[in-house]
Amino acid sequence: MSVLPITRLFRGELHVVAISGPNVQVLDTSTGDIRHKVIASAGPVRCAAVDQGFHYLATAGDDKILKIWEIDGLKLVNERELPKRPTAILFTADAKTILVSDKFGDVFSYAFEFTPLTEKQAKDALSSHENPSGGSLILGHTSLLNAFLLSHDEKYIITADRDEHIRVSWYPQGYNIEMYCLGHTKFVSTIHNPAFAPAELVSGGGDPMLKIWDWMTGAVKHEIPVWDTVEPYIRVRSSKRKRWADSEDAPEVRRRGRGKKTKGKGKAKAGEEAEAADAGEAPVNETLDNAPAASVGNPVNLEEKAEKVLVIHKIETTASRRIIFSVVGATALFSVDYPGDGAPAEIRPLELGQPVLDFVVAQDDRIWVTLDGNWVDGTEPMHKCFFLVIEISESGELSKSTSESLIINALNSTVLLPGMHRTFYMSNRLTQSNTTATEDDLEKLELYNDLVAMPKGYEGENDLDGDKPSEPEKQSKRILGRLKNKEKVLQKERQLASAVDDGTKEPDVKKAKSNAGDGEQDVNMAEAE
């Protein structure tokens, strides 16, 4: 029997929040009892976040409705419409503001308290689209925004997109760009700011290494090669040839509303197609090993040879200064010591048997991991496991915890729910009439969609070994132009740095945010694009 796996997990001192499909459940940490449960959206919950005090939960899905819940009781505080489908949600430290990024590359801020607008808000000159709920635009990228975070002092917002850029901007004055962290050659899918090293940033995506930055200077301090260690554990594959919507050339015709496909359909229709094209929203199924990940509605080319695609899914750090990261479609969790001045640290994988969906680092440095227990590799019957607790030894080795607890048992049994098709409301509480999740239910979760949506659409770009460089004729003019411009920027920065070191040029003085007055908005911005 198939059930909906836990796609997001949040752990607090008193409660655990488990999200599976459209369902949100709150469990008692000590007893494992389900205290509250509710259906949060019409379809799967795509984005979720909790505040630092673990009092409130924010959820959003494909219906583009941002909902704020009280965790204790799962009472709906308020809800509002988002302009585009979200990619990430974040509470500020005081929980008075919610930040939401969307698939058009914008970040909007919303006050916790919401009063519905009495009249339609006019689109300002900087926003790429109207905001039906009165959100304030913080910043915008020209590409799909994959991840963002606030610095620990909340003076800066750091954003990462599908076009290899990491940008450091003032917060909330996002139009003031402090620095670019340039060096990735593929998409950046996740970033992390360690609590023990607030001046540094760990980033990962499609490149065969993790990068550690001094994000205020844009300098790479360390690189951690991961591909050789990770590659054997990637069990879900993507086809070599991506959907046409992920190519660099075809979407341009769609975005601008030109050509036979969009002729006469108007700007609104073209905008919706642009959102779908930029996001690469074809779902990816659980697959057999060596089989391509199929997409529904606009399938990938199944005749092409299946290939392994690297997408770093999540990066966290422990109090013991270790980096923990997961990879989309990989059946292992990975640990590596945070780099210092010594020799490169060794990456330690822990095989879990089934693809990792999410993980949380607890205060005791134990790691709570959710798995895709429905996945099979076609070799032999496997024990279905949806949740594990991982322990870290003093030497940094990962191991499965053998201790039993009520909460662990609950996350592997009573929390697991059937499918979505016949789920309905009854007194605002969760009611299900079916007993198993159908194949269509699981496909709607899009567990491995990033394998198709993140990479660009030309062949050879996903050659992570680096032995066979991509042939120039297979790269579009946009890609070649972007790489050329990026190389010029890096070369100019090296020349300026060399001139300063030689004493032939005085360094440019840039006004730091801490020295700028509230009314001062003039800042020399880096020309990086």
Side-chain angles (χ1 to χ4, degrees):
M1 181 182 75
S2 296
V3 294
L4 298 178
I6 302 171
T7 52
R8 290 300 307 273
L9 189 71
F10 301 97
R11 185 185 186 279
E13 184 178 355
L14 301 177
H15 299 104
V16 172
V17 177
I19 298 177
S20 56
N23 312 306
V24 176
Q25 301 177 81
V26 176
L27 291 79
D28 187 288
T29 303
S30 58
T31 66
D33 295 337
I34 299 177
R35 295 298 187 187
H36 316 283
K37 51 187 178 181
V38 72
I39 299 174
S41 66
V45 173
R46 302 296 183 193
C47 304
V50 297
D51 70 308
Q52 292 184 10
F54 218 83
H55 300 300
Y56 301 103
L57 168 73
T59 63
D62 292 338
D63 55 4
K64 298 186 290 186
I65 302 297
L66 174 65
K67 297 182 179 181
I68 310 299
W69 311 82
E70 287 184 0
I71 293 178
D72 189 7
L74 277 183
K75 175 186 176 182
L76 182 63
V77 178
N78 59 59
E79 63 180 44
R80 68 201 81 186
E81 183 182 358
L82 299 174
K84 298 297 175 183
R85 276 183 278 189
T87 58
I89 303 174
L90 178 68
F91 281 93
T92 55
D94 59 7
K96 294 182 179 180
T97 304
I98 303 112
L99 302 178
V100 182
S101 61
D102 63 37
K103 292 187 174 182
F104 265 59
D106 292 337
V107 176
F108 284 92
S109 68
Y110 300 90
F112 182 88
E113 301 293 338
F114 175 61
T115 302
L117 299 178
T118 56
E119 58 183 20
K120 188 175 181 180
Q121 182 186 35
K123 184 175 80 71
D124 59 55
L126 299 178
S127 302
S128 61
H129 43 267
E130 297 175 352
N131 194 303
S133 301
S136 300
L137 178 68
I138 300 298
L139 56 81
H141 282 233
T142 58
S143 177
L144 173 66
L145 199 60
N146 292 329
F148 75 94
L149 56 80
L150 291 177
S151 60
H152 292 284
D153 59 7
E154 295 196 342
K155 291 183 177 181
Y156 300 93
I157 179 171
I158 306 175
T159 50
D161 66 25
R162 189 169 173 251
D163 282 343
E164 309 99 28
H165 303 127
I166 298 175
R167 183 198 300 177
V168 181
S169 308
W170 291 12
Y171 176 78
Q173 304 92 351
Y175 45 78
N176 287 324
I177 300 174
E178 181 74 19
M179 181 55 62
Y180 280 90
C181 297
L182 300 177
H184 280 284
T185 59
K186 292 182 173 66
F187 58 86
V188 183
S189 53
T190 184
I191 53 178
H192 174 70
N193 185 208
F196 56 78
E200 297 180 358
L201 181 78
V202 187
S203 65
D207 289 305
M209 78 284 291
L210 301 180
K211 292 180 181 289
I212 299 180
W213 309 79
D214 180 338
W215 53 266
M216 281 297 289
T217 64
V220 176
K221 299 188 67 174
H222 306 282
E223 289 187 348
I224 305 174
V226 300
W227 174 245
D228 289 341
T229 303
V230 167
E231 186 270 338
Y233 298 95
I234 299 178
R235 306 296 299 280
V236 181
R237 303 192 182 194
S238 174
S239 71
K240 191 172 183 179
R241 179 170 297 174
K242 307 301 181 296
R243 301 187 308 142
W244 67 265
D246 281 329
S247 68
E248 285 294 329
D249 298 319
E252 281 301 296
V253 179
R254 306 282 288 187
R255 289 190 191 101
R256 296 169 186 171
R258 297 201 298 254
K260 296 181 180 180
K261 295 293 183 181
T262 57
K263 185 176 181 180
K265 293 186 179 181
K267 294 182 179 179
K269 181 67 176 178
E272 292 299 321
E273 290 169 344
E275 181 180 3
D278 285 338
E281 294 166 345
V284 180
N285 295 334
E286 302 91 334
T287 64
L288 302 179
D289 194 21
N290 298 324
S295 73
V296 176
N298 197 355
V300 293
N301 190 339
L302 300 183
E303 296 179 358
E304 292 290 337
K305 180 182 177 181
E307 67 172 8
K308 294 186 177 182
V309 175
L310 176 63
V311 180
I312 305 296
H313 178 250
K314 188 174 184 178
I315 300 172
E316 294 288 342
T317 50
T318 67
S320 54
R321 296 181 66 90
R322 291 187 176 92
I323 298 174
I324 310 296
F325 67 96
S326 62
V327 175
V328 177
T331 58
L333 193 68
F334 305 92
S335 169
V336 61
D337 293 340
Y338 200 84
D341 297 329
E346 176 187 2
I347 298 178
R348 303 176 179 90
L350 176 63
E351 172 64 67
L352 302 177
Q354 289 163 313
V356 175
L357 298 182
D358 193 22
F359 70 90
V360 177
V361 178
Q363 292 181 349
D364 57 3
D365 267 11
R366 296 205 305 171
I367 307 168
W368 292 37
V369 185
T370 67
L371 306 171
D372 180 8
N374 298 310
W375 179 88
V376 293
D377 63 0
T379 56
E380 59 184 31
M382 299 178 61
H383 171 67
K384 288 190 174 184
C385 181
F386 292 85
F387 174 78
L388 285 172
V389 174
I390 306 300
E391 296 180 345
I392 308 177
S393 67
E394 293 183 0
S395 62
E397 296 290 339
L398 301 178
S399 62
K400 299 179 184 178
S401 175
T402 57
S403 61
E404 294 288 337
S405 69
L406 297 174
I407 185 67
I408 292 176
N409 293 334
L411 289 169
N412 256 320
S413 56
T414 56
V415 170
L416 303 175
L417 297 172
M420 296 180 282
H421 282 305
R422 290 162 290 280
T423 304
F424 55 92
Y425 276 108
M426 180 174 288
S427 300
N428 199 35
R429 285 294 176 253
L430 191 64
T431 304
Q432 307 258 357
S433 63
N434 57 330
T435 59
T436 184
T438 66
E439 183 178 350
D440 188 51
D441 291 332
L442 299 178
E443 287 177 350
K444 287 181 179 179
L445 296 179
E446 300 183 354
L447 299 179
Y448 310 109
N449 189 51
D450 285 346
L451 296 177
V452 174
M454 289 288 183
K456 299 299 176 64
Y458 62 89
E459 296 182 2
E461 187 179 15
N462 293 317
D463 178 26
L464 298 175
D465 294 311
D467 296 329
K468 298 179 181 179
S470 303
E471 299 178 14
E473 59 270 19
K474 291 186 178 181
Q475 298 186 9
S476 70
K477 293 181 180 179
R478 286 184 63 213
I479 294 175
L480 293 174
R482 185 165 60 244
L483 293 176
K484 186 177 180 180
N485 289 338
K486 185 179 294 185
E487 179 61 30
K488 287 181 178 179
V489 171
L490 292 174
Q491 184 178 1
K492 184 176 180 180
E493 288 181 349
R494 287 193 292 266
Q495 291 174 349
L496 290 175
S498 177
V500 171
D501 293 339
D502 295 340
T504 58
K505 177 180 174 57
E506 292 294 327
D508 294 332
V509 177
K510 183 172 183 175
K511 187 183 299 180
K513 183 175 183 179
S514 58
N515 298 328
D518 294 336
E520 295 179 290
Q521 299 179 351
D522 294 331
V523 171
N524 297 325
M525 294 192 224
E527 295 292 338
E529 293 185 296

